[in-house]
């Protein structure tokens, strides 16, 4: 019992320290993404607090951090701009349309959880996962480069640039070297505190969190508790025009949010050698976005950068995410003056180390060891993540992988031909029969020149879809049109039932053998697995 309590206490300490570190890193990220979306910084900070807290408590992956993200902010820019056009002169309704969209987005995500769609993340191939990680690492890196520019978008110069670079390198050096001395202290938090102390007491002229907010048009980090946005219901009419406007945005945001969250969940699973619950995460993300929209937040999803900071800082339990959210709220309510003094360089250094840890450097080593198609998928997903957004990149990667898989399997259909002593020609079909292999399957038969008796044996083939059944149906009709007799052997029970329903004549064509394998159509995976086990027995 003593050992159990000691371990729990040690984990709690790691969770708390890691959560505080994450909270510090969340501030500039949430503020920056709020500026990208064209809304007040507090809208981003409230979103980071509410989404982070709700998903930490109810989510399917302990230790994963959620908040306002850039992938969603990019889509929100045009939403807010178009929403402003619905108001009268001088009235900007874009923010309220954003809240309404986030609420609808949350309902869509909860529906995905109810329908248990989270399990489909397993269909994402490993090259797509690696491309996703690499693409996000590049996006995070490029986002940090903006911190080296002034309000006008010009790069820092002279001593300002050198001071910024020195503090960034110092932060990275502390994070790299501290674990070699001791692993009891969270390197990111120590680095932020040390660099902040040097900048403050050294009176360095560097950009801080406070100056960053004010340069972006914000009034500061100080704020109160989130307020219920009753004006949503009065300023956003509930009619078909509104649904037509916010519906597509809500679908896109829901898809991006779920894809990024579930892929980050998979990544954290691999890092911690544990398993999260994808459907529970969908429900939590959806519920969090509904609450966030009602209380004036911009919506969000899982954050890969902050999640990695948390995991590498020792945060493994739900406590780390709860501490990060509550600490962020405490910064807003009570410690805004202190947090505003933290130099941006310290947070940039932390994010640069996250980039180094996030990027799958092994992808360079395996490029010449994996199939060319997987290389293309990996590079395409990485590039599309940077150029467009995560949803486009992942969907494109899955489509490319699926097409390649179908093409490769379509080439594996084979037919071994032999003659019996009685003059019957036997076709023994090998390989999967599905929509992609139908043409190759049809080319195996010589209907006009075959003898009067033909037998097609499917013992080494698998009937995978309706296209395959239709191909068999057409093949039988062709032989009968030539006045020849065809028999089908070793068809699955499901295939037989469908063929019997399509035409009674198949009862005369299909041979009912005792040794028929008990396999089923791939459209029913559970039945297929059961049939396969029976076949093995």
């Amino acid at each position: 019992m003593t050992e159990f309590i000691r371990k729990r206490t040690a984990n709690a300490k790691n969770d708390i320290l890691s959560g505080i570190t994450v909270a510090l890193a969340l501030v500039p990220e949430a503020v920056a993404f709020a500026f990208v979306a064209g809304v007040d910084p507090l809208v981003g900070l409230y979103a980071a607090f509410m989404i982070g807290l709700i998903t930490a408590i109810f989510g399917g992956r302990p230790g994963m951090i959620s908040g306002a993200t850039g992938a969603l902010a990019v889509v929100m820019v045009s939403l807010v701009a178009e929403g402003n056009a619905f108001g009268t002169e001088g009235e900007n309704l874009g923010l309220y349309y954003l809240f309404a969209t986030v609420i609808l987005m949350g309902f869509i995500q909860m529906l995905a959880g109810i329908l248990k769609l989270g399990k489909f993340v397993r269909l994402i191939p490993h090259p797509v996962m690696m491309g996703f990680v690499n693409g996000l690492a590049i996006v995070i890196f490029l986002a940090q480069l903006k911190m080296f520019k002034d309000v006008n978008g010009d790069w820092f110069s002279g001593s300002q640039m050198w001071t910024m670079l020195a503090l960034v390198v110092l932060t990275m050096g502390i994070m790299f070297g501290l674990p070699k001395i001791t692993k009891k202290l969270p390197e990111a938090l120590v680095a932020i505190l040390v660099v902040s102390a040097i900048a403050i007491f050294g009176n360095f002229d560097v950009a801080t969190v406070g100056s960053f907010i004010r340069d972006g048009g914000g009034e500061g980090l100080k704020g109160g508790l989130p307020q219920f946005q009753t004006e949503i219901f009065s300023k956003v009419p509930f009619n078909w025009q509104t649904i037509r406007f916010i519906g597509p945005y809500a679908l896109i945001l829901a898809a991006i949010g779920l894809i990024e969250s579930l892929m980050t969940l998979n990544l954290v699973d691999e890092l911690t050698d544990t398993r999260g619950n994808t459907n529970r995460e969908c429900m939590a993300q959806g519920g969090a976005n509904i609450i966030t929209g009602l209380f004036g937040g911009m919506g969000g999803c899982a954050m890969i950068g902050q999640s990695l900071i948390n995991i590498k800082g020792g945060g493994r339990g739900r406590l780390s995410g709860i501490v990060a959210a509550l600490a962020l709220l405490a910064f807003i309510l009570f410690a805004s003056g202190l947090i505003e003094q933290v130099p941006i360089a310290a947070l940039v250094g932390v994010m640069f180390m996250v980039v180094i840890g996030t990027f799958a450097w092994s992808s360079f080593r395996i490029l010449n060891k994996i199939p060319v198609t997987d290389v293309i998928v990996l590079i395409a997903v990485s590039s599309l993540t940077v150029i467009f957004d995560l949803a486009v990149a992942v969907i494109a990667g899955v489509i490319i992988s699926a097409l390649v898989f179908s093409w490769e399997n379509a080439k594996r259909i084979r037919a071994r031909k032999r003659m019996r002593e009685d003059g019957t020609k036997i076709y023994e079909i090998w390989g999967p029969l599905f929509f992609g292999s139908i043409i190759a399957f049809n080319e195996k038969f010589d209907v006009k020149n075959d003898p009067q008796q033909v037998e097609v044996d499917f013992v080494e083939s698998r009937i995978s879809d309706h296209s395959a059944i239709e191909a068999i149906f057409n093949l039988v009709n062709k032989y009968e049109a030539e006045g020849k007799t065809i028999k089908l052997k070793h068809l699955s029970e499901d295939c037989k039932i469908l063929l019997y329903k399509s035409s009674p004549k198949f009862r005369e064509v299909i041979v009912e053998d005792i040794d028929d394998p008990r396999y089923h159509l791939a459209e029913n995976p559970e039945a297929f697995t059961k049939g396969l086990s029976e076949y093995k027995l």
Side-chain angles (χ1 to χ4, degrees):
M1 179 61 72
T2 304
E3 182 69 13
F4 174 77
I5 294 174
R6 188 185 67 79
K7 288 183 178 180
R8 297 289 291 182
T9 305
N11 290 338
K13 183 196 73 172
N14 290 337
D15 285 343
I16 291 170
L17 292 176
S18 182
I20 294 172
T21 306
V22 170
L24 289 170
L26 276 172
V27 173
E29 293 286 306
V31 171
F33 296 146
F35 287 147
V36 169
V39 296
D40 187 87
L42 282 176
V43 176
L45 291 168
Y46 285 152
F49 156 64
M50 288 183 281
I51 293 176
L53 181 62
I54 294 170
T55 56
I57 297 173
F58 301 105
R61 174 65 266 177
M64 190 167 76
I65 305 298
S66 297
T69 62
L72 298 180
V74 172
V75 179
M76 293 173 182
V77 178
S78 55
L79 167 62
V80 174
E82 290 182 42
N84 286 332
F86 285 98
T88 58
E89 186 175 351
E91 184 182 26
N92 294 328
L93 296 182
L95 185 61
Y96 297 102
Y97 276 94
L98 171 62
F99 296 155
T101 305
V102 170
I103 294 170
L104 180 57
M105 162 193 172
F107 279 113
I108 294 171
Q109 291 179 326
M110 288 197 75
L111 181 63
I114 293 171
L115 297 176
K116 300 187 182 301
L117 300 182
K119 61 186 177 182
F120 287 104
V121 72
R122 70 185 67 171
L123 297 178
I124 298 176
H126 191 65
V128 175
M129 188 69 183
M130 292 186 74
F132 152 77
V133 169
N134 291 349
L136 277 186
I138 296 170
V139 169
I140 294 172
F141 173 77
L142 295 176
Q144 304 314 306
L145 295 182
K146 297 177 183 177
M147 304 299 180
F148 290 85
K149 296 181 180 180
D150 57 24
V151 183
N152 301 319
D154 298 325
W155 292 95
F156 292 156
S157 59
S159 60
Q160 189 179 17
M161 174 62 85
W162 287 112
T163 304
M164 179 84 169
L165 288 173
L167 293 178
V168 169
V169 171
L170 177 60
T171 303
M172 296 174 68
I174 293 172
M175 290 187 65
F176 177 77
L178 185 61
K180 299 182 182 302
I181 301 172
T182 176
K183 294 185 179 180
K184 294 183 178 181
L185 297 173
E187 61 269 20
L189 181 58
V190 171
I192 291 173
L193 292 176
V194 170
V195 173
S196 297
I198 292 173
I200 293 170
F201 292 110
N203 198 24
F204 290 168
D205 181 21
V206 293
T208 62
V209 172
S211 66
F212 178 75
I213 294 174
R214 287 185 287 274
D215 290 344
E219 297 180 359
L221 190 62
K222 182 69 175 177
L225 290 171
Q227 300 294 317
F228 187 78
Q229 300 294 314
T230 55
E231 292 179 313
I232 298 174
F233 306 100
S234 60
K235 295 194 175 184
V236 178
F238 186 73
N239 53 32
W240 178 242
Q241 183 183 7
T242 300
I243 297 298
R244 284 184 60 189
F245 171 58
I246 69 174
Y249 282 110
L251 282 171
I252 294 171
L253 290 172
I256 294 173
L258 287 183
I259 290 173
E260 183 161 358
S261 297
L262 296 180
M263 294 189 73
T264 303
L265 183 148
N266 271 2
L267 180 63
V268 175
D269 280 353
E270 291 180 9
L271 292 174
T272 59
D273 197 24
T274 56
R275 286 294 170 264
N277 188 320
T278 54
N279 293 317
R280 182 174 176 178
E281 186 63 32
C282 291
M283 294 288 290
Q285 291 288 340
N289 278 305
I290 293 172
I291 300 298
T292 301
L294 290 172
F295 282 86
M298 61 181 282
C301 62
M303 308 179 76
I304 186 172
Q306 276 66 24
S307 296
L308 290 178
I309 291 175
N310 187 45
I311 295 301
K312 292 179 179 178
R316 291 292 186 275
R318 296 186 184 277
L319 182 60
S320 59
I322 294 171
V323 169
L326 294 178
L328 181 60
L329 180 62
F331 295 160
I332 298 172
L333 296 177
F334 311 113
S336 59
L338 294 174
I339 300 303
E340 287 180 5
Q341 296 181 58
V342 174
I344 289 293
L347 301 174
V348 171
V350 171
M351 296 310 294
F352 276 164
M353 290 301 289
V354 169
V355 169
I356 294 173
T358 301
F359 196 91
W361 301 102
S362 60
S363 55
F364 292 115
R365 189 176 65 253
I366 65 173
L367 283 179
N368 62 341
K369 300 178 181 178
I370 60 177
V372 176
T373 52
D374 285 345
V375 174
I376 294 172
V377 169
L378 196 159
I379 296 174
V381 173
S382 301
S383 304
L384 291 173
T385 301
V386 177
I387 299 170
F388 296 103
D389 59 55
L390 179 64
V392 172
V394 172
I395 292 172
V398 171
I399 290 174
I400 295 172
S401 298
L403 290 174
V404 170
F405 176 81
S406 298
W407 178 257
E408 291 298 323
N409 278 275
K411 297 188 296 183
R412 293 179 181 174
I413 194 77
R414 297 286 186 273
R416 185 168 62 188
K417 306 165 189 177
R418 59 187 176 86
M419 297 291 293
R420 277 193 189 149
E421 294 180 358
D422 62 359
T424 302
K425 187 172 184 179
I426 308 296
Y427 286 91
E428 293 180 349
I429 307 300
W430 299 65
L433 186 58
F434 67 110
F435 68 92
S437 59
I438 299 302
I439 295 177
F441 172 74
N442 291 330
E443 291 175 350
K444 306 299 180 186
F445 299 92
D446 188 2
V447 178
K448 290 186 177 180
N449 298 321
D450 277 349
Q452 286 298 114
Q453 302 292 331
V454 175
E455 186 177 289
V456 184
D457 192 341
F458 290 91
V459 70
E460 295 295 338
S461 181
R462 293 294 177 266
I463 313 301
S464 301
D465 58 10
H466 178 70
S467 298
I469 295 173
E470 190 67 21
I472 296 171
F473 183 84
N474 292 334
L475 181 68
V476 171
N477 287 337
K478 287 180 182 177
Y479 274 103
E480 290 188 345
E482 293 289 331
K484 298 176 181 180
T485 302
I486 181 172
K487 296 292 182 182
L488 308 177
K489 291 183 64 177
H490 295 139
L491 285 169
S492 70
E493 292 299 324
D494 290 344
C495 187
K496 289 176 184 177
I497 292 170
L498 290 173
L499 288 174
Y500 291 156
K501 286 181 179 180
S502 64
S503 176
K505 69 181 178 182
F506 279 103
R507 294 192 178 275
E508 301 175 2
V509 174
I510 297 174
V511 177
E512 296 282 357
D513 284 350
I514 296 176
D515 62 338
D516 274 359
R518 295 294 184 260
Y519 66 88
H520 301 263
L521 287 176
E523 294 171 0
N524 188 346
E526 294 179 0
F528 176 81
T529 305
K530 181 180 178 183
L532 184 60
S533 63
E534 290 177 359
Y535 175 67
K536 287 182 178 179
L537 291 173

